[in-house]
Amino acid sequence: MQNVQDYISKNKERFLDELIQLLRIPSVSADSAFSQDVIDTSEAVRTALENAGCDTVEICETDGYPIVYGEKIIDPALPTVLVYGHYDVQPADPINLWNSPPFEPVIKKTDTHPEGAIFARGACDDKGQMYMHVKALEFMVKTNQLPCNVKFMIEGEEEVGSNNLAVFVANNHKKLANDIILISDTGMIANDVPSITTGLRGLSYVEVEVTGPNRDLHSGLYGGAVANPINALTKMIASLHDENNHITIPGFYDKVEDLSQEERAEMAKAPFSLDAYQKALNITSVDGEKGYSTNERNSIRPTLDVNGIWGGYTGEGAKTVIASKAYAKISMRLVPNQDWQDITQLFKTHFESIAPKGVTVKVTPHHGGQGYVTPIDTIGYKAASKAYEITFGKKPIPQRSGGSIPIVALFEKELNSKTILMGFGLDSDAIHSPNEHFGVWNYLKGIETIPYFYHHFTEMSK
Ligand code: BES
Ligand code: MN
Ligand code: MN
């Protein structure tokens, strides 16, 4: 690859400025107050793809936010890479925990990013990582080094479940036909320990509502005599794990695939410091399913977590009251073979069955998706591995991630192609949290690595 480092150092400031402009638009897909901003962001992505050298770019309307589709077909006989990413972001709240406003990006140095990191909502997830692909395309087109065809599909509803993208994919098999799907929306172990994500967990996300008496009650007059929905809910939630932190829902583990001792031994080789992990989170101990390491707990094992819980009086001071209702939002991270709809049904049946006398329970499924594992003996993986070897000077480690990108399993089913997850974020980049950031070094390293993937993938496809 000619001059990729040269090209990056000459254009570094512009690459950063362009990303910063994109990060200024608050494209929060979950909150309708930002709907115009989400639409404006799709326009900005369209312009960026046009400027980078796509031949055609379209805004594809859906029942929700638009999908930006762009392509450059240089020769139908050559392989085609389909790049997927998302331009929507998570809500920024709690805003008061940000050290600088979430949509006014600033570059600051950190311990893990001595060369600086861009602080903004979406910096790492996923605008920064998506934009690496746009700039890598610009480099390949401007220097006449694009070796194959490329298609971009950038959506605006990943953070809310990608429901409309699923419809779009099902209706556009031909348009989206490709030889490999390339995504940068995950992480790697460390800047000096490159890794390629080989797995994603599935997800089932539900909301529960527990109802007791028909109105809020005085906790002195009625307390102890009627079921308290908050007491009931917390007891029910507590019973979902046993003393070994196994999930107690009957049938929950039925389809879970146990990894062989060899596979687990291979996983354990990835560098990991429990001490550094605990220090970074300011905790004195880790916790999780008995019999598994931290890295196993957060990748190859399914989990259940309360993501939010509310009810009763939470304002200033004290109010003596028994609330009529209590609520919680619960996520279950799943592993390949566990079907998310089956698990949602198992949860619903079980949760309803453990309701104590005097309350009723309603379970509402939100969204979900299947997990994914990608093999490492394909030319896609090998080409990615070579690319990292060149730009990082080290062979990357294959690693399964705990996060979810539900659409990836669907891509395989609908488009019949494998996905390569080239993530350049770090776990410490605080995605979905206050002070999300993305290392400047990581951003530029991604732009540098991607063209080598195209090159090797095209060569290996011959
Ligand atoms: N990019 C993340 C997923 C991710 C991050 C995977 C880091 C692996 C490593 C994605 O935007 C995300 O947040 N997904 C959601 C699920 C989605 C249905 C809202 C998640 O994992 O919670
Ligand atoms: Mn993402
Ligand atoms: Mn996300």
Side-chain angles (χ1 to χ4, degrees), residues 211-442:
T211 307
N214 60 359
R215 60 182 169 88
D216 287 6
L217 302 173
H218 188 288
S219 66
L221 297 183
Y222 289 93
V226 298
N228 176 331
I230 301 177
N231 290 6
L233 174 61
T234 51
K235 224 169 159 175
M236 290 163 75
I237 288 171
S239 77
L240 296 175
H241 290 94
D242 69 11
E243 66 282 5
N244 293 323
N245 274 321
H246 288 301
I247 294 155
T248 56
I249 299 169
F252 186 84
Y253 291 100
D254 283 2
K255 302 221 172 116
V256 171
E257 179 190 27
D258 284 319
L259 265 67
S260 67
Q261 283 310 321
E262 290 79 54
E263 285 171 294
R264 292 180 68 185
E266 197 52 44
M267 270 189 78
K269 285 187 193 155
F272 176 73
S273 157
L274 190 58
D275 194 47
Y277 186 84
Q278 293 181 170
K279 277 212 178 93
L281 302 176
N282 201 15
I283 52 174
T284 50
S285 173
V286 291
D287 188 38
E289 189 181 1
K290 197 177 170 189
Y292 294 93
S293 69
T294 295
N295 274 339
E296 290 173 336
R297 287 169 178 167
N298 68 25
S299 65
I300 61 163
R301 298 299 296 168
T303 55
L304 181 152
D305 278 289
V306 177
N307 291 235
I309 182 163
W310 69 104
Y313 183 69
T314 56
E316 196 182 328
K319 178 188 179 194
T320 50
V321 67
I322 293 174
S324 163
K325 285 176 186 286
Y327 306 84
K329 291 185 193 276
I330 297 175
S331 70
M332 288 163 278
R333 297 284 168 171
L334 311 175
V335 296
N337 293 343
Q338 279 184 300
D339 179 80
W340 77 273
Q341 310 214 33
D342 287 354
I343 293 291
T344 304
Q345 194 52 49
L346 289 179
F347 176 91
K348 188 169 156 48
T349 307
H350 178 68
F351 208 69
E352 285 167 355
S353 80
I354 59 172
K357 274 189 296 193
V359 300
T360 54
V361 171
K362 195 168 115 194
V363 176
T364 311
H366 272 272
H367 54 69
Q370 312 295 78
Y372 184 73
V373 181
T374 191
I376 62 172
D377 57 359
T378 58
I379 58 170
Y381 185 87
K382 286 179 187 159
S385 182
K386 272 203 168 167
Y388 279 70
E389 232 180 306
I390 294 164
T391 60
F392 285 79
K394 275 184 195 174
K395 213 179 165 120
I397 298 171
Q399 201 194 38
R400 276 165 69 167
S401 170
S404 308
I405 311 177
I407 202 71
V408 172
L410 212 103
F411 286 157
E412 174 147 339
K413 204 170 130 216
E414 294 283 342
L415 303 175
N416 198 20
S417 47
K418 298 280 175 207
T419 292
I420 299 298
L421 297 154
M422 291 175 80
F424 294 90
L426 301 181
D427 284 355
S428 55
D429 287 347
I431 63 170
H432 294 207
S433 303
N435 304 309
E436 174 178 353
H437 54 279
F438 188 34
V440 171
W441 185 89
N442 301 65

Side-chain angles (χ1 to χ4, degrees), residues 84 86 88 124-126 158-159 184-186 404-405 431-432:
Y84 162 80
H86 62 96
D88 64 322
C124 179
D125 184 12
D126 179 41
E158 195 277 341
E159 299 292 10
S184 294
D185 193 22
T186 58
S404 308
I405 311 177
I431 63 170
H432 294 207

